[in-house]
Amino acid sequence: MRAMGKAGGVAARRKGLGAPAGGRARPNPNPFEVKVNRQKFPVLGRKARHAVGLPGVSRARAVQKRTQTLLKEYKERDKSNVFTDKRFGEYSSNMSPEEKMMKRFALEQQRQHEKKSIYNLNEDEELTHYGQSLADVEKHNDIVDSDSDAEERGALSAELTATHFGGGGALLHKKTAQQQGEEGEKPRSRKELIEELIAKSKQEKRERQAQREDALELTEKLDQDWKEIQTLLAHKTPKSDNKDKKEKPKPDAYDMMVRELGFEMKAQPSNRMKTQEELAKEEQERLEKLEAARLRRMLGKDEDGGTKKPKHQSADDLNDGFVLDKDDRHLLSYKDGKVSTEEEQSREAGDDNSDEEQGEGPSEDSEESSGPDGHSDLESDVESEEDRETQQAPGKRLKSDGHKAREAARTELPYTFAAPESYEELKSLLSGKSMEEQLLVVERIKTCNHPSLAVGNKAKLEKLFDFLLEYIGDLATDDPPDLRVIDKLVVQLYNLCQMFPESASSCIQFVLRDAMHEMEGAIEARGRAAFPGLDVLIYLKLAGVLFPTSDFWHPVVTPALVCMSQLLTKCPVLSLQDAVKGLFVCCLFLDYVSLSQRFIPELINFLLGILYIATPNKQSQGYTLVHPFRASGKNSELLLVSDEEDIATWQRRGLSLRWANGLKAQTKTEANHMRLSCLAVCLALVKRCVLTYGPLPSFHDIVRPLRALLTEHLAACSHPQELQDLCRSALAAMGKQERRYRPLICEKSKPVPLKLFTPRLVKVLEFGRKQGSGKEEQERKRLIHKHKREFKGAVREIRRDNQFLARMQLAETLERDAERKRKVKRLFNSLATQEGEWKALKRKKFKK
């Protein structure tokens, strides 16, 4: 009783959740225990939460909530199966049980007939077996076919059944009435009876086949007769042709187009496009095969490795497909009663020619030999030697052909090349070869060392770009420069630049930087610099070809523009070669700015100076010369031509870059023609500048000095007619450009506000907040404070959940311990009772 009382007290305390002694709840809370959160002063916009709190109420609610959620999950932690009733409408309170049953039955029927009877239009279901209705099968109506055999349908005769299934004993003991009447007949054996049975079955089968064929013939004859009668019955009198014939509508264009499209060939699927790596791999393999074949030819081997494999021939092969590789047959003819061939005739003709050259001596010997004492006994030996030489001639011819093939293979260009490691190696590969061969060598080097074929090929091709750039510079400095090869090598440079733009840009930058350093050193040493060689000009041209020139800033093009502007401003024009180089730089400038239309003042100034040094009368004051040109001096009339004969014989031609490489005029007439050509190029560039810078607002201010010089050139009337036409066309292009003046407008600026008395703002200190921070800082601090508060609340709730679970686990442990103690006590009581009974029984026995 004491244990039961203790357990009951523990359960009462666990169920009461803190209820007072006696199990009765407190009717009204004690007013002294009510907690009130009072505020010192009201704050607008602030909501007060939990102003009044009752003791123990919030705790009881929290315990109740944890009991419904956390404790339930704790008790079901080891359960893995959940029973869910998925019947239709089971959890719906709006449907009656009858409606639920009807709906479930309808869904079950729909599920059964959803796939089976989707195409069945009949209402009643019909069960079948092998395509036959079960109702018809149950009737056992077996329709006998007249054409089918009895044996094929399964109907067996009595004799056949007795033979096969009766073991054959019935046939031995069976006798017909006729056999019993015949007394002297010998009984037949089993073998004879079986043979007789087989013969009868074959006879019956032949009879049925004959009947079937007769029936088929009669049916065909009947069909033919019926067709003849049908044609007579269906014959009608023909109507008039006009009524019978109807005009067929002609197909329109749409119908014709539809028919044409129907007969068109359908597109056939093609293979996918191969990647650059796959194409490079195939090209490398092709070149390797060609190189291996070339090496075999150079060594005198056949294409198949110098050995011919014998073909397998069977013993039954008749060799019907034998074809001669070469027709070695000779045409036979008779000459002086002897048989002769074509080779002998050709050899005799060659001998006659040699005899005629040698003179009379050999002819006398031939006459003596033709006589009776001409050593006729040696003719057979001579003929045998000639036949031996004839047989050896094809071998000698083959040897000579093989020698020629080896020589051709040695002189042939190799198909595979290793990437050069130095510039000298590349120069040795390209020097002494034609332009086509040089391009082929570079292309094969690039193909055999594609970056996708090996790891180190990328660095090799980057070096190849640098070597080709240096090789182009050497070609430009040659006398005369090989411009055709340079023009073709630009394509290979462009392909390499597209593959490795960073290394290509660094190479061009290095070349331009070197040229600028040389020019700056010359200016520091002598105070002026000369125009660079043709190689630097070619490099500037390559920079505009390999890289985009319309960018606002580019790591290669922008330094190139600066370099060209320095050339036009710091390099004076002291000779005709300098004028040609300067005009070439002007052409490069216009190519660079053709898309961006960037204004280049150095270009306009240089063209103005070229026109000035070619002007005969310098009287106008509408322009001003800028360095490197001077108004007076030694070279102020460098391009002026005063010889009328040279002016009359001049024809307009393009300036060759060979003049820029140091080529000098041999005669005075040639020099004058070169001056006129420079002036023509300058006028063409002026017209091109007009077309390029026409849309600029300040265009007319830019071309005012050019217009003044062109007017002086026309007034002189000493230039050829073609130059005058160029001047007029340039002036006409200037006149066509509209004046684009900007309208005068006031400068846009903010209006100045009036001076007002602005209020003085005093910052009010708010207690409880950190001062000296902006709005963003305060918002950040507020979020940090909120996060800290939420984090503390989450930790507090987790701690309380753990405490709740610990209390539940302790209660379970106490309950298990109490149950165990109760069972142990019951066992001890039962054992004590048994022990007492046993002792009492023992005492009784002892007393007896």
Side-chain angles (χ1 to χ4, degrees):
M1 294 295 293
R2 207 165 21 187
M4 292 294 293
K6 187 183 292 185
V10 172
R13 284 197 302 273
R14 187 169 65 252
K15 293 181 180 178
L17 295 176
R24 293 176 296 175
R26 183 176 297 175
N28 293 321
N30 189 357
F32 294 100
E33 295 179 355
V34 175
K35 183 180 179 182
V36 179
N37 297 327
R38 298 184 181 276
Q39 296 181 355
K40 294 182 179 180
F41 50 86
V43 179
L44 295 176
R46 180 181 295 177
K47 295 181 181 180
R49 295 180 298 176
H50 309 296
V52 179
L54 299 178
V57 175
S58 59
R59 182 179 178 184
R61 290 178 180 174
V63 171
Q64 183 182 4
K65 190 174 182 180
R66 288 189 178 91
T67 304
Q68 294 175 356
T69 57
L70 188 61
L71 184 59
K72 187 177 179 180
E73 293 178 1
Y74 175 73
K75 289 181 178 180
E76 295 179 356
R77 64 186 183 278
D78 296 331
K79 295 182 179 181
S80 59
N81 54 342
V82 178
F83 293 96
T84 305
D85 193 352
K86 295 185 179 181
R87 292 180 296 175
F88 181 81
E90 182 64 24
Y91 301 103
S92 178
S93 59
N94 300 328
M95 299 177 64
S96 62
E98 292 78 8
E99 293 178 353
K100 294 180 182 179
M101 297 299 293
M102 292 295 294
K103 188 65 177 177
R104 291 172 185 173
F105 180 75
L107 290 175
E108 185 177 0
Q109 293 294 325
Q110 182 180 358
R111 193 180 299 110
Q112 290 179 358
H113 297 281
E114 187 174 5
K115 295 182 179 179
K116 294 181 180 179
S117 60
I118 187 171
Y119 299 110
N120 189 9
L121 302 180
N122 300 328
E123 296 181 358
D124 299 332
E125 297 182 359
E126 185 178 1
L127 302 179
T128 60
H129 178 70
Y130 288 102
Q132 297 179 1
S133 177
L134 291 181
D136 296 340
V137 173
E138 290 175 356
K139 295 179 181 179
H140 303 287
N141 295 328
D142 191 6
I143 302 174
V144 180
D145 190 3
S146 60
D147 296 337
S148 61
D149 297 336
E151 297 177 2
E152 297 175 358
R153 289 188 290 109
L156 302 178
S157 62
E159 297 179 358
L160 186 63
T161 305
T163 304
H164 290 283
F165 302 101
L171 294 174
L172 296 175
H173 303 286
K174 184 180 179 181
K175 292 183 180 180
T176 60
Q178 297 178 359
Q179 291 174 354
Q180 293 176 359
E182 297 176 355
E183 297 177 356
E185 186 177 358
K186 185 180 180 181
R188 292 179 293 177
S189 64
R190 168 180 164 77
K191 184 177 180 181
E192 293 176 354
L193 293 174
I194 291 176
E195 290 178 356
E196 183 182 356
L197 179 61
I198 294 173
K200 287 182 180 180
S201 62
K202 289 183 179 181
Q203 181 66 24
E204 292 176 0
K205 192 172 183 179
R206 282 194 294 270
E207 291 177 358
R208 287 194 301 271
Q209 184 70 19
Q211 292 177 4
R212 196 180 299 114
E213 291 178 357
D214 295 340
L216 184 60
E217 291 177 359
L218 292 175
T219 305
E220 291 179 356
K221 185 177 180 181
L222 182 61
D223 291 340
Q224 292 178 359
D225 296 341
W226 168 249
K227 288 180 181 179
E228 294 177 358
I229 299 172
Q230 190 178 12
T231 54
L232 296 175
L233 295 175
H235 182 69
K236 298 180 180 179
T237 57
K239 297 182 179 179
S240 61
D241 298 338
N242 296 333
K243 294 181 180 180
D244 227 4
K245 293 182 181 179
K246 295 182 179 179
E247 295 182 357
K248 295 183 180 180
K250 295 182 179 180
D252 54 358
Y254 177 77
D255 295 336
M256 295 174 65
M257 181 65 69
V258 169
R259 292 176 183 176
E260 290 178 0
L261 292 176
F263 286 107
E264 280 187 355
M265 291 291 294
K266 301 297 186 294
Q268 298 295 331
S270 59
N271 297 330
R272 66 174 182 85
M273 295 182 64
K274 297 182 180 179
T275 60
Q276 295 292 335
E277 291 76 10
E278 293 175 350
L279 293 175
K281 184 66 176 177
E282 291 181 358
E283 186 66 18
Q284 185 197 27
E285 292 176 355
R286 187 183 69 85
L287 292 178
E288 289 178 352
K289 291 180 181 178
L290 293 175
E291 178 65 15
R294 187 186 71 86
L295 293 176
R296 286 196 299 268
R297 291 196 305 271
M298 189 171 64
L299 298 174
K301 297 181 180 180
D302 297 336
E303 293 294 329
D304 298 334
T307 59
K308 294 184 179 180
K309 297 181 180 179
K311 296 182 180 180
H312 174 72
Q313 290 184 351
S314 65
D316 299 333
D317 191 3
L318 299 178
N319 204 6
D320 296 335
F322 175 75
V323 178
L324 287 173
D325 296 336
K326 185 178 180 183
D327 193 2
D328 297 334
R329 294 174 296 178
H330 304 290
L331 181 61
L332 298 177
S333 60
Y334 290 91
K335 183 177 181 182
D336 299 334
K338 295 182 179 180
V339 179
S340 63
T341 59
E342 292 180 352
E343 293 185 0
E344 294 177 357
Q345 293 177 4
S346 60
R347 194 183 306 111
E348 289 176 0
D351 296 340
D352 294 341
N353 295 333
S354 61
D355 293 341
E356 291 176 0
E357 293 175 359
Q358 290 176 2
E360 298 177 355
S363 61
E364 293 176 357
D365 296 338
S366 61
E367 289 177 359
E368 291 177 0
S369 62
S370 61
D373 299 331
H375 305 284
S376 59
D377 55 343
L378 298 177
E379 288 182 359
S380 60
D381 298 338
V382 174
E383 289 178 359
S384 62
E385 291 178 1
E386 290 177 355
D387 294 340
R388 194 179 303 110
E389 291 177 358
T390 304
Q391 293 176 1
Q392 294 177 359
K396 294 181 180 179
R397 193 182 305 111
L398 290 175
K399 289 183 180 179
S400 61
D401 294 342
H403 181 70
K404 292 180 181 179
R406 286 195 296 271
E407 293 297 329
R410 288 192 182 94
T411 57
E412 189 178 358
L413 197 65
Y415 290 94
T416 57
F417 291 91
E421 297 294 336
S422 62
Y423 171 68
E424 289 75 13
E425 187 175 351
L426 177 66
K427 192 172 182 180
S428 63
L429 289 175
L430 299 181
S431 60
K433 294 181 175 61
S434 62
M435 180 182 65
E436 292 77 9
E437 290 180 349
Q438 293 184 25
L439 296 176
L440 195 58
V441 168
V442 175
E443 181 66 27
R444 289 177 179 176
I445 291 175
K446 190 177 67 174
T447 303
C448 296
N449 299 274
H450 196 269
S452 62
L453 301 177
V455 178
N457 287 350
K458 181 180 178 181
K460 294 179 181 179
L461 292 184
E462 290 177 355
K463 292 181 181 179
L464 178 63
F465 182 88
D466 193 6
F467 298 156
L468 283 177
L469 203 64
E470 188 175 355
Y471 182 69
I472 286 176
D474 290 348
L475 291 178
T477 54
D478 290 343
D479 191 15
D482 200 348
L483 300 178
R484 293 176 63 252
V485 178
I486 294 175
D487 188 23
K488 298 299 182 182
L489 287 176
V490 171
V491 180
Q492 303 296 336
L493 283 177
Y494 181 80
N495 295 333
L496 291 173
C497 181
Q498 296 299 316
M499 295 170 66
F500 317 108
E502 295 181 359
S503 62
S505 61
S506 62
C507 293
I508 299 292
Q509 286 175 355
F510 178 78
V511 172
L512 296 179
R513 193 183 302 114
D514 193 9
M516 291 293 292
H517 286 333
E518 289 183 1
M519 186 174 62
E520 290 175 359
I523 292 174
E524 291 178 0
R526 295 177 294 177
R528 60 182 178 85
F531 276 94
L534 185 59
D535 53 347
V536 178
L537 300 181
I538 294 295
Y539 291 149
L540 292 172
K541 177 68 176 177
L542 286 176
V545 173
L546 300 180
F547 301 99
T549 58
S550 59
D551 294 352
F552 181 76
W553 184 89
H554 194 273
V556 177
V557 177
T558 303
L561 288 172
V562 174
C563 181
M564 289 190 293
S565 63
Q566 294 290 327
L567 292 177
L568 293 184
T569 53
K570 295 184 178 180
C571 299
V573 180
L574 303 179
S575 61
L576 293 178
Q577 287 79 9
D578 294 342
V580 172
K581 293 178 182 179
L583 291 175
F584 181 75
V585 174
C586 292
C587 293
L588 292 181
F589 256 129
L590 289 176
D591 292 338
Y592 273 53
V593 301
S594 59
L595 295 177
S596 61
Q597 295 183 352
R598 186 179 301 173
F599 177 65
I600 307 295
E602 294 85 0
L603 171 64
I604 303 298
N605 178 56
F606 191 85
L607 294 178
L608 183 64
I610 293 295
L611 290 176
Y612 179 81
I613 62 178
T615 305
N617 300 321
K618 305 175 180 61
Q619 299 176 358
S620 177
Q621 300 296 329
Y623 50 86
T624 304
L625 289 180
V626 186
H627 186 78
F629 295 97
R630 296 180 181 179
S632 61
K634 180 180 178 182
N635 299 316
S636 60
E637 297 181 353
L638 181 62
L639 299 182
L640 184 62
V641 180
S642 58
D643 194 347
E644 296 182 356
E645 295 181 359
D646 297 341
I647 294 174
T649 57
W650 174 78
Q651 293 181 357
R652 185 182 177 183
R653 295 177 182 176
L655 282 176
S656 176
L657 287 179
R658 295 180 180 179
W659 294 103
N661 200 29
L663 182 63
K664 295 183 179 180
Q666 301 295 331
T667 60
K668 184 179 179 181
T669 302
E670 188 177 0
N672 290 333
H673 287 176
M674 182 180 175
R675 292 186 178 92
L676 293 175
S677 299
C678 291
L679 182 58
V681 172
C682 181
L683 293 174
L685 291 176
V686 167
K687 184 178 179 180
R688 190 175 171 186
C689 288
V690 171
L691 298 177
T692 303
Y693 299 130
L696 295 178
S698 58
F699 168 73
H700 292 276
D701 297 334
I702 294 171
V703 300
R704 187 181 296 113
L706 294 175
R707 185 183 289 108
L709 282 174
L710 290 177
T711 306
E712 290 183 4
H713 277 277
L714 281 177
C717 296
S718 59
H719 296 310
Q721 187 64 31
E722 294 184 7
L723 292 180
Q724 294 181 11
D725 295 340
L726 283 175
C727 290
R728 292 190 185 92
S729 61
L731 290 173
M734 293 179 187
K736 289 181 181 179
Q737 300 297 331
E738 299 179 358
R739 291 181 175 271
R740 294 180 175 85
Y741 293 112
R742 293 179 180 177
L744 297 176
I745 57 175
C746 297
E747 184 179 359
K748 293 182 180 180
S749 61
K750 294 182 179 180
V752 180
L754 298 176
K755 291 184 179 181
L756 301 175
F757 295 100
T758 58
R760 182 180 180 183
L761 302 176
V762 180
K763 188 175 183 180
V764 179
L765 297 178
E766 296 182 5
F767 295 96
R769 296 186 180 181
K770 294 183 179 180
Q771 306 299 326
S773 59
K775 187 176 180 180
E776 292 81 3
E777 186 67 20
Q778 290 181 0
E779 183 69 19
R780 190 180 67 84
K781 291 180 180 179
R782 187 183 67 82
L783 291 176
I784 292 174
H785 176 69
K786 187 176 180 181
H787 173 265
K788 187 184 296 183
R789 185 177 59 193
E790 294 294 335
F791 181 77
K792 287 182 179 179
V795 171
R796 183 170 57 252
E797 292 297 326
I798 292 172
R799 190 181 298 115
R800 290 177 180 176
D801 291 344
N802 293 335
Q803 292 174 0
F804 174 78
L805 290 176
R807 287 197 301 271
M808 294 297 106
Q809 292 174 0
L810 180 61
E812 290 180 359
T813 304
L814 292 176
E815 187 176 359
R816 287 196 303 269
D817 292 345
E819 182 69 19
R820 178 176 172 275
K821 288 180 180 179
R822 185 178 61 81
K823 291 181 179 180
V824 170
K825 190 173 182 181
R826 185 182 297 175
L827 282 174
F828 275 120
N829 292 336
S830 63
L831 290 175
T833 305
Q834 291 179 5
E835 186 179 1
E837 292 177 355
W838 184 77
K839 287 181 179 181
L841 183 62
K842 189 176 181 181
R843 281 195 298 268
K844 287 181 181 181
K845 288 182 179 181
F846 180 75
K847 288 178 180 181
K848 289 180 180 181

